[in-house]
Amino acid sequence: MTLEEMIKKVLRLIEEFNPNHKDLTDDPDIATKMKDVINQVMYELARLKKIPRYVEFEVTEGETIDFARIENECGSEVYQVCKVSGVKHECKAENTIIKVIESGTIEIEMCIYPERITSTTNAKIYEFELSSDVLEIMPYGVAADLLKSDISAEYGKIYSQRYEMMIQRVDSRYNMPSISYEGGVNF
């Protein structure tokens, strides 16, 4: 899904969509806040349904690797290192520093933050890295934040309640664990 598609979804939800306006809405306050709010909700959802990544690169004995090096290798902002393998190593400082014990290829599984949305992000080109299930929840979180100061109709509160209920139901896993037996089982 593109950022433009998300903006349209949110604006339709809050009944502010105008396809003839360059900002897709006649409300300048909503247009001004939209990308910042989408970015905030996106980061929240990325911590709930993490974005997994894998990278491997060559290392030498005695080297220390921090988030900056991992980010440079994978091209994304690292949220959390999940698993390190491939060479002997020691994880330090809550898995934010890896001390390499032997030279070779290190393999790192991690979770990343999505690419940040700014006021200059091209909405037609930007593609979300989040999974489809949380992208369907995002419009409610964005709507809640955009309308939280609208106390006359309390729409912000309604969208906020719906958003909170939906994120409680998100399955953070990407796959189900399974067990298989070869050759049968005797009881």
Side-chain angles (χ1 to χ4, degrees):
M1 177 182 293
T2 66
L3 176 56
E4 182 179 58
E5 291 168 329
M6 179 60 68
I7 291 169
K8 287 178 181 178
K9 260 187 157 179
V10 171
L11 293 172
R12 284 186 189 110
L13 181 65
I14 63 175
E15 299 176 359
E16 291 287 343
F17 181 63
N18 179 351
N20 300 320
H21 195 280
K22 72 174 180 69
D23 292 325
L24 303 174
T25 182
D26 297 321
D27 189 322
D29 290 336
I30 289 175
T32 301
K33 296 177 192 175
M34 183 64 76
K35 287 183 179 178
D36 287 336
V37 173
I38 288 175
N39 190 72
Q40 292 165 359
V41 174
M42 177 180 66
Y43 267 60
E44 177 180 28
L45 291 170
R47 288 187 301 273
L48 176 68
K49 180 86 176 231
K50 297 174 177 145
I51 303 169
R53 285 293 184 276
Y54 169 83
V55 69
E56 59 183 56
F57 52 91
E58 296 302 311
V59 293
T60 57
E61 180 182 341
E63 187 176 355
T64 57
I65 302 166
D66 60 7
F67 269 24
R69 168 82 186 274
I70 299 168
E71 289 171 352
N72 186 50
E73 296 289 340
C74 77
S76 297
E77 184 181 357
V78 175
Y79 169 60
Q80 175 181 61
V81 172
C82 303
K83 183 179 177 184
V84 180
S85 57
V87 295
K88 284 186 181 178
H89 65 278
E90 293 177 359
C91 291
K92 306 286 186 184
E94 302 277 331
N95 287 343
T96 60
I97 305 287
I98 303 164
K99 182 178 179 184
V100 178
I101 307 299
E102 67 179 2
S103 297
T105 303
I106 194 162
E107 301 171 5
I108 302 174
E109 295 178 40
M110 72 206 95
C111 296
I112 62 163
Y113 283 113
E115 182 184 342
R116 188 174 299 279
I117 296 170
T118 67
S119 60
T120 61
T121 300
N122 186 329
K124 291 180 188 295
I125 295 173
Y126 183 93
E127 289 275 342
F128 287 98
E129 298 173 84
L130 296 172
S131 60
S132 297
D133 55 345
V134 293
L135 285 175
E136 292 303 316
I137 295 170
M138 185 185 283
Y140 291 92
V142 175
D145 208 29
L146 286 172
L147 301 177
K148 68 184 171 194
S149 61
D150 183 5
I151 56 173
S152 62
E154 293 192 5
Y155 288 126
K157 183 177 179 183
I158 293 166
Y159 290 125
S160 179
Q161 289 170 345
R162 177 78 170 132
Y163 174 70
E164 291 298 325
M165 181 180 70
M166 292 171 85
I167 63 172
Q168 294 299 318
R169 296 178 179 168
V170 169
D171 186 350
S172 62
R173 300 171 297 184
Y174 279 92
N175 59 17
M176 297 289 288
S178 63
I179 299 173
S180 62
Y181 296 97
E182 292 183 23
V185 179
N186 293 324
F187 290 99

Short mmCIF file of all heavy atoms in Angstrom, two decimals, residues 12-56:
data_model
loop_
_atom_site.label_atom_id
_atom_site.label_comp_id
_atom_site.label_asym_id
_atom_site.label_seq_id
_atom_site.Cartn_x
_atom_site.Cartn_y
_atom_site.Cartn_z
N ARG A 12 -11.36 9.22 3.86
CA ARG A 12 -12.69 8.65 3.63
C ARG A 12 -13.33 8.25 4.96
O ARG A 12 -14.52 8.46 5.17
CB ARG A 12 -12.61 7.44 2.70
CG ARG A 12 -12.40 7.81 1.26
CD ARG A 12 -12.49 6.56 0.36
NE ARG A 12 -12.09 6.89 -0.98
CZ ARG A 12 -10.96 6.47 -1.56
NH1 ARG A 12 -10.13 5.69 -0.91
NH2 ARG A 12 -10.67 6.84 -2.78
N LEU A 13 -12.52 7.67 5.84
CA LEU A 13 -13.02 7.23 7.14
C LEU A 13 -13.57 8.40 7.94
O LEU A 13 -14.63 8.30 8.56
CB LEU A 13 -11.90 6.53 7.92
CG LEU A 13 -12.23 5.98 9.30
CD1 LEU A 13 -13.24 4.85 9.19
CD2 LEU A 13 -10.95 5.48 9.98
N ILE A 14 -12.87 9.53 7.93
CA ILE A 14 -13.31 10.68 8.72
C ILE A 14 -14.16 11.65 7.91
O ILE A 14 -14.47 12.75 8.37
CB ILE A 14 -12.11 11.41 9.36
CG1 ILE A 14 -11.17 11.99 8.31
CG2 ILE A 14 -11.37 10.48 10.31
CD1 ILE A 14 -10.04 12.83 8.88
N GLU A 15 -14.53 11.21 6.70
CA GLU A 15 -15.42 11.99 5.83
C GLU A 15 -14.87 13.38 5.51
O GLU A 15 -15.58 14.38 5.56
CB GLU A 15 -16.83 12.06 6.43
CG GLU A 15 -17.45 10.69 6.58
CD GLU A 15 -18.80 10.70 7.26
OE1 GLU A 15 -19.29 11.78 7.65
OE2 GLU A 15 -19.37 9.61 7.38
N GLU A 16 -13.58 13.41 5.18
CA GLU A 16 -12.91 14.67 4.79
C GLU A 16 -12.25 14.57 3.42
O GLU A 16 -11.46 15.42 3.06
CB GLU A 16 -11.84 15.03 5.84
CG GLU A 16 -12.38 15.45 7.18
CD GLU A 16 -13.01 16.85 7.16
OE1 GLU A 16 -12.74 17.63 6.22
OE2 GLU A 16 -13.77 17.15 8.08
N PHE A 17 -12.58 13.52 2.66
CA PHE A 17 -11.93 13.28 1.38
C PHE A 17 -12.48 14.18 0.28
O PHE A 17 -13.68 14.26 0.08
CB PHE A 17 -12.10 11.81 0.98
CG PHE A 17 -11.45 11.44 -0.32
CD1 PHE A 17 -10.07 11.52 -0.47
CD2 PHE A 17 -12.20 10.98 -1.39
CE1 PHE A 17 -9.46 11.16 -1.67
CE2 PHE A 17 -11.60 10.61 -2.59
CZ PHE A 17 -10.23 10.71 -2.73
N ASN A 18 -11.59 14.87 -0.42
CA ASN A 18 -11.95 15.66 -1.58
C ASN A 18 -10.94 15.34 -2.69
O ASN A 18 -9.82 15.85 -2.67
CB ASN A 18 -11.93 17.16 -1.28
CG ASN A 18 -12.28 18.01 -2.49
OD1 ASN A 18 -12.38 17.51 -3.61
ND2 ASN A 18 -12.43 19.30 -2.27
N PRO A 19 -11.34 14.51 -3.66
CA PRO A 19 -10.40 14.09 -4.70
C PRO A 19 -9.94 15.23 -5.62
O PRO A 19 -8.94 15.09 -6.32
CB PRO A 19 -11.19 13.04 -5.50
CG PRO A 19 -12.61 13.35 -5.23
CD PRO A 19 -12.68 13.95 -3.85
N ASN A 20 -10.64 16.37 -5.59
CA ASN A 20 -10.30 17.49 -6.45
C ASN A 20 -9.29 18.45 -5.83
O ASN A 20 -8.80 19.35 -6.50
CB ASN A 20 -11.57 18.26 -6.84
CG ASN A 20 -12.55 17.38 -7.59
OD1 ASN A 20 -12.15 16.57 -8.42
ND2 ASN A 20 -13.82 17.49 -7.25
N HIS A 21 -9.00 18.27 -4.55
CA HIS A 21 -8.06 19.16 -3.86
C HIS A 21 -6.67 18.54 -3.90
O HIS A 21 -6.52 17.32 -3.78
CB HIS A 21 -8.51 19.37 -2.41
CG HIS A 21 -7.84 20.51 -1.73
ND1 HIS A 21 -6.58 20.43 -1.20
CD2 HIS A 21 -8.26 21.78 -1.49
CE1 HIS A 21 -6.25 21.58 -0.65
NE2 HIS A 21 -7.26 22.42 -0.82
N LYS A 22 -5.63 19.35 -4.04
CA LYS A 22 -4.25 18.81 -4.13
C LYS A 22 -3.84 18.04 -2.88
O LYS A 22 -3.07 17.10 -2.95
CB LYS A 22 -3.26 19.93 -4.44
CG LYS A 22 -2.98 20.90 -3.31
CD LYS A 22 -1.86 21.87 -3.68
CE LYS A 22 -1.57 22.83 -2.57
NZ LYS A 22 -0.98 22.25 -1.39
N ASP A 23 -4.39 18.42 -1.71
CA ASP A 23 -4.09 17.72 -0.46
C ASP A 23 -5.10 16.62 -0.16
O ASP A 23 -5.05 16.01 0.91
CB ASP A 23 -4.07 18.71 0.71
CG ASP A 23 -2.89 19.67 0.63
OD1 ASP A 23 -1.81 19.24 0.18
OD2 ASP A 23 -3.07 20.84 1.02
N LEU A 24 -6.05 16.41 -1.06
CA LEU A 24 -7.13 15.43 -0.93
C LEU A 24 -8.13 15.76 0.18
O LEU A 24 -9.00 14.97 0.50
CB LEU A 24 -6.56 14.02 -0.73
CG LEU A 24 -5.63 13.52 -1.83
CD1 LEU A 24 -5.01 12.17 -1.46
CD2 LEU A 24 -6.37 13.41 -3.16
N THR A 25 -8.01 16.92 0.78
CA THR A 25 -8.94 17.41 1.80
C THR A 25 -9.00 18.92 1.74
O THR A 25 -8.03 19.58 1.37
CB THR A 25 -8.52 16.95 3.21
OG1 THR A 25 -9.49 17.42 4.16
CG2 THR A 25 -7.16 17.45 3.61
N ASP A 26 -10.15 19.45 2.14
CA ASP A 26 -10.31 20.91 2.20
C ASP A 26 -9.84 21.47 3.54
O ASP A 26 -9.74 22.68 3.70
CB ASP A 26 -11.80 21.28 2.00
CG ASP A 26 -12.30 20.87 0.63
OD1 ASP A 26 -11.53 21.01 -0.35
OD2 ASP A 26 -13.45 20.40 0.54
N ASP A 27 -9.59 20.59 4.50
CA ASP A 27 -9.21 21.01 5.85
C ASP A 27 -7.69 21.18 5.94
O ASP A 27 -6.95 20.19 5.93
CB ASP A 27 -9.69 19.98 6.87
CG ASP A 27 -9.54 20.45 8.30
OD1 ASP A 27 -8.52 21.11 8.62
OD2 ASP A 27 -10.42 20.14 9.12
N PRO A 28 -7.20 22.42 6.06
CA PRO A 28 -5.74 22.64 6.09
C PRO A 28 -5.07 22.06 7.34
O PRO A 28 -3.92 21.65 7.28
CB PRO A 28 -5.60 24.16 6.04
CG PRO A 28 -6.92 24.70 6.47
CD PRO A 28 -7.95 23.68 6.12
N ASP A 29 -5.78 22.02 8.46
CA ASP A 29 -5.19 21.43 9.68
C ASP A 29 -4.94 19.94 9.50
O ASP A 29 -3.88 19.43 9.87
CB ASP A 29 -6.12 21.63 10.89
CG ASP A 29 -6.19 23.09 11.33
OD1 ASP A 29 -5.23 23.83 11.05
OD2 ASP A 29 -7.19 23.47 11.96
N ILE A 30 -5.90 19.25 8.93
CA ILE A 30 -5.74 17.81 8.69
C ILE A 30 -4.62 17.57 7.68
O ILE A 30 -3.77 16.70 7.88
CB ILE A 30 -7.07 17.18 8.23
CG1 ILE A 30 -8.04 17.14 9.41
CG2 ILE A 30 -6.85 15.79 7.65
CD1 ILE A 30 -9.43 16.64 9.07
N ALA A 31 -4.60 18.34 6.61
CA ALA A 31 -3.55 18.19 5.59
C ALA A 31 -2.16 18.40 6.19
O ALA A 31 -1.22 17.67 5.86
CB ALA A 31 -3.80 19.17 4.45
N THR A 32 -2.03 19.38 7.08
CA THR A 32 -0.74 19.69 7.69
C THR A 32 -0.27 18.57 8.62
O THR A 32 0.92 18.24 8.66
CB THR A 32 -0.82 21.01 8.47
OG1 THR A 32 -1.20 22.05 7.57
CG2 THR A 32 0.50 21.36 9.13
N LYS A 33 -1.18 17.97 9.35
CA LYS A 33 -0.83 16.95 10.35
C LYS A 33 -0.69 15.54 9.78
O LYS A 33 -0.06 14.68 10.40
CB LYS A 33 -1.92 16.88 11.43
CG LYS A 33 -2.09 18.11 12.26
CD LYS A 33 -3.26 17.88 13.22
CE LYS A 33 -3.72 19.12 13.90
NZ LYS A 33 -4.91 18.89 14.72
N MET A 34 -1.30 15.28 8.63
CA MET A 34 -1.49 13.92 8.14
C MET A 34 -0.21 13.07 8.11
O MET A 34 -0.18 11.99 8.69
CB MET A 34 -2.12 13.95 6.75
CG MET A 34 -2.43 12.57 6.18
SD MET A 34 -3.66 11.63 7.09
CE MET A 34 -5.16 12.48 6.56
N LYS A 35 0.84 13.51 7.47
CA LYS A 35 2.05 12.68 7.34
C LYS A 35 2.72 12.43 8.68
O LYS A 35 3.19 11.32 8.94
CB LYS A 35 3.03 13.30 6.35
CG LYS A 35 2.58 13.16 4.90
CD LYS A 35 3.61 13.74 3.95
CE LYS A 35 3.20 13.58 2.50
NZ LYS A 35 4.18 14.18 1.58
N ASP A 36 2.75 13.45 9.54
CA ASP A 36 3.35 13.27 10.87
C ASP A 36 2.58 12.24 11.69
O ASP A 36 3.17 11.38 12.35
CB ASP A 36 3.40 14.59 11.64
CG ASP A 36 4.45 15.54 11.09
OD1 ASP A 36 5.42 15.07 10.47
OD2 ASP A 36 4.30 16.76 11.30
N VAL A 37 1.27 12.32 11.64
CA VAL A 37 0.44 11.39 12.41
C VAL A 37 0.57 9.97 11.85
O VAL A 37 0.71 9.01 12.61
CB VAL A 37 -1.03 11.85 12.45
CG1 VAL A 37 -1.92 10.80 13.09
CG2 VAL A 37 -1.16 13.17 13.19
N ILE A 38 0.56 9.83 10.54
CA ILE A 38 0.74 8.50 9.95
C ILE A 38 2.09 7.92 10.36
O ILE A 38 2.19 6.74 10.71
CB ILE A 38 0.60 8.56 8.41
CG1 ILE A 38 -0.87 8.78 8.03
CG2 ILE A 38 1.12 7.27 7.76
CD1 ILE A 38 -1.11 8.98 6.55
N ASN A 39 3.14 8.72 10.36
CA ASN A 39 4.46 8.24 10.78
C ASN A 39 4.44 7.76 12.23
O ASN A 39 4.97 6.70 12.55
CB ASN A 39 5.51 9.34 10.60
CG ASN A 39 6.90 8.81 10.78
OD1 ASN A 39 7.42 8.09 9.93
ND2 ASN A 39 7.53 9.14 11.90
N GLN A 40 3.81 8.52 13.12
CA GLN A 40 3.75 8.14 14.53
C GLN A 40 3.01 6.82 14.73
O GLN A 40 3.47 5.93 15.45
CB GLN A 40 3.09 9.24 15.36
CG GLN A 40 3.92 10.49 15.45
CD GLN A 40 3.11 11.68 15.95
OE1 GLN A 40 1.92 11.61 16.21
NE2 GLN A 40 3.78 12.82 16.07
N VAL A 41 1.85 6.68 14.08
CA VAL A 41 1.06 5.45 14.22
C VAL A 41 1.81 4.28 13.58
O VAL A 41 1.82 3.18 14.12
CB VAL A 41 -0.35 5.63 13.62
CG1 VAL A 41 -1.12 4.32 13.62
CG2 VAL A 41 -1.12 6.71 14.38
N MET A 42 2.47 4.52 12.46
CA MET A 42 3.24 3.48 11.79
C MET A 42 4.34 2.94 12.71
O MET A 42 4.54 1.73 12.82
CB MET A 42 3.85 4.03 10.50
CG MET A 42 4.73 3.05 9.77
SD MET A 42 5.44 3.72 8.25
CE MET A 42 6.50 5.02 8.88
N TYR A 43 5.05 3.83 13.38
CA TYR A 43 6.11 3.39 14.30
C TYR A 43 5.54 2.60 15.47
O TYR A 43 6.12 1.61 15.91
CB TYR A 43 6.91 4.60 14.81
CG TYR A 43 8.14 4.88 13.98
CD1 TYR A 43 8.05 5.18 12.62
CD2 TYR A 43 9.41 4.83 14.54
CE1 TYR A 43 9.17 5.43 11.86
CE2 TYR A 43 10.54 5.07 13.78
CZ TYR A 43 10.41 5.36 12.43
OH TYR A 43 11.53 5.60 11.69
N GLU A 44 4.40 3.01 15.96
CA GLU A 44 3.74 2.27 17.04
C GLU A 44 3.38 0.86 16.57
O GLU A 44 3.64 -0.12 17.26
CB GLU A 44 2.48 3.01 17.49
CG GLU A 44 1.70 2.28 18.56
CD GLU A 44 0.45 3.03 18.99
OE1 GLU A 44 -0.12 3.80 18.20
OE2 GLU A 44 0.04 2.82 20.15
N LEU A 45 2.81 0.76 15.39
CA LEU A 45 2.43 -0.55 14.86
C LEU A 45 3.64 -1.41 14.52
O LEU A 45 3.59 -2.63 14.64
CB LEU A 45 1.51 -0.38 13.64
CG LEU A 45 0.12 0.18 13.96
CD1 LEU A 45 -0.62 0.53 12.69
CD2 LEU A 45 -0.68 -0.78 14.82
N ALA A 46 4.75 -0.79 14.12
CA ALA A 46 5.97 -1.54 13.82
C ALA A 46 6.58 -2.16 15.08
O ALA A 46 7.29 -3.15 15.00
CB ALA A 46 6.99 -0.64 13.13
N ARG A 47 6.31 -1.58 16.23
CA ARG A 47 6.77 -2.19 17.48
C ARG A 47 5.85 -3.32 17.90
O ARG A 47 6.27 -4.25 18.58
CB ARG A 47 6.87 -1.13 18.58
CG ARG A 47 8.04 -0.18 18.38
CD ARG A 47 8.24 0.77 19.55
NE ARG A 47 7.10 1.60 19.84
CZ ARG A 47 6.84 2.78 19.26
NH1 ARG A 47 7.66 3.26 18.34
NH2 ARG A 47 5.78 3.48 19.60
N LEU A 48 4.60 -3.27 17.47
CA LEU A 48 3.63 -4.32 17.79
C LEU A 48 3.79 -5.52 16.85
O LEU A 48 3.90 -6.65 17.29
CB LEU A 48 2.21 -3.74 17.67
CG LEU A 48 1.07 -4.70 17.88
CD1 LEU A 48 1.03 -5.16 19.33
CD2 LEU A 48 -0.25 -4.03 17.50
N LYS A 49 3.79 -5.25 15.55
CA LYS A 49 3.99 -6.30 14.54
C LYS A 49 5.30 -5.97 13.86
O LYS A 49 5.38 -5.20 12.91
CB LYS A 49 2.84 -6.30 13.53
CG LYS A 49 2.94 -7.34 12.45
CD LYS A 49 2.35 -8.66 12.89
CE LYS A 49 2.37 -9.68 11.79
NZ LYS A 49 1.08 -10.31 11.59
N LYS A 50 6.36 -6.51 14.40
CA LYS A 50 7.71 -6.14 14.00
C LYS A 50 8.00 -6.47 12.54
O LYS A 50 7.41 -7.38 11.96
CB LYS A 50 8.70 -6.82 14.93
CG LYS A 50 8.52 -6.35 16.36
CD LYS A 50 9.39 -7.10 17.32
CE LYS A 50 9.19 -6.50 18.69
NZ LYS A 50 9.25 -7.43 19.75
N ILE A 51 8.94 -5.72 11.97
CA ILE A 51 9.36 -5.91 10.59
C ILE A 51 10.70 -6.66 10.61
O ILE A 51 11.73 -6.09 10.96
CB ILE A 51 9.52 -4.55 9.86
CG1 ILE A 51 8.21 -3.75 9.93
CG2 ILE A 51 9.97 -4.77 8.42
CD1 ILE A 51 8.35 -2.31 9.48
N PRO A 52 10.68 -7.93 10.26
CA PRO A 52 11.92 -8.72 10.34
C PRO A 52 12.86 -8.47 9.16
O PRO A 52 12.41 -8.20 8.04
CB PRO A 52 11.40 -10.17 10.31
CG PRO A 52 10.11 -10.10 9.58
CD PRO A 52 9.54 -8.73 9.84
N ARG A 53 14.16 -8.53 9.44
CA ARG A 53 15.18 -8.41 8.39
C ARG A 53 16.34 -9.34 8.74
O ARG A 53 16.56 -9.68 9.90
CB ARG A 53 15.72 -6.98 8.28
CG ARG A 53 14.81 -6.00 7.61
CD ARG A 53 14.61 -6.31 6.13
NE ARG A 53 13.81 -5.33 5.47
CZ ARG A 53 12.49 -5.30 5.45
NH1 ARG A 53 11.79 -6.20 6.08
NH2 ARG A 53 11.84 -4.35 4.79
N TYR A 54 17.10 -9.68 7.73
CA TYR A 54 18.26 -10.54 7.87
C TYR A 54 19.41 -9.91 7.10
O TYR A 54 19.22 -9.40 6.00
CB TYR A 54 17.95 -11.93 7.31
CG TYR A 54 19.15 -12.83 7.16
CD1 TYR A 54 19.62 -13.56 8.25
CD2 TYR A 54 19.80 -12.94 5.94
CE1 TYR A 54 20.72 -14.39 8.11
CE2 TYR A 54 20.90 -13.78 5.79
CZ TYR A 54 21.36 -14.49 6.88
OH TYR A 54 22.45 -15.31 6.75
N VAL A 55 20.59 -9.95 7.68
CA VAL A 55 21.78 -9.45 7.00
C VAL A 55 22.96 -10.33 7.39
O VAL A 55 23.00 -10.89 8.49
CB VAL A 55 22.04 -7.96 7.34
CG1 VAL A 55 22.46 -7.78 8.78
CG2 VAL A 55 23.07 -7.35 6.41
N GLU A 56 23.90 -10.47 6.47
CA GLU A 56 25.15 -11.16 6.78
C GLU A 56 26.29 -10.38 6.14
O GLU A 56 26.12 -9.77 5.09
CB GLU A 56 25.14 -12.61 6.30
CG GLU A 56 24.93 -12.81 4.83
CD GLU A 56 24.87 -14.29 4.45
OE1 GLU A 56 24.04 -15.02 5.00
OE2 GLU A 56 25.69 -14.69 3.58
#
